[in-house]
Amino acid sequence: MLNKIPATKLKSSLKNRFDAASLPKIHSMAWLNYEMFLKRLARLAADNAKQDKSAVIRENHVRNAAKTILGGIRG
């Protein structure tokens, strides 16, 4: 499974890096990026399930979709 960053660690690192006025904007942008990632993941997993002629999205469909999406991201 993918490692998660604890919310407190994320908030403290953001506070150290950015000023207080821009923190709400950065938090909302991080949340929107997360939501867009989940939407892409769900869409690609559904496509993988259709290719396998499966009516249900299984774990391997989601894992393959995550590998594809995360392989295209450079960070």
Side-chain angles (χ1 to χ4, degrees), residues 51-66:
Q51 288 176 355
D52 287 346
K53 297 180 182 176
S54 175
V56 178
I57 298 173
R58 302 197 192 288
E59 180 183 355
N60 61 337
H61 300 133
V62 176
R63 285 187 187 269
N64 290 340

Side-chain angles (χ1 to χ4, degrees), residues 8-71:
T8 54
K9 184 176 181 180
L10 178 65
K11 286 181 184 179
S12 65
S13 65
L14 287 176
K15 283 182 183 178
N16 292 337
R17 189 167 183 182
F18 300 102
D19 60 338
S22 62
L23 283 178
K25 295 175 188 174
I26 293 169
H27 182 69
S28 62
M29 287 298 294
W31 180 256
L32 289 174
N33 283 337
Y34 171 72
E35 289 291 323
M36 288 176 22
F37 170 76
L38 285 181
K39 187 175 182 179
R40 286 180 59 198
L41 182 68
R43 195 177 292 156
L44 192 56
D47 290 344
N48 289 344
K50 285 180 186 177
Q51 288 176 355
D52 287 346
K53 297 180 182 176
S54 175
V56 178
I57 298 173
R58 302 197 192 288
E59 180 183 355
N60 61 337
H61 300 133
V62 176
R63 285 187 187 269
N64 290 340
K67 286 180 185 177
T68 303
I69 292 172
L70 294 176

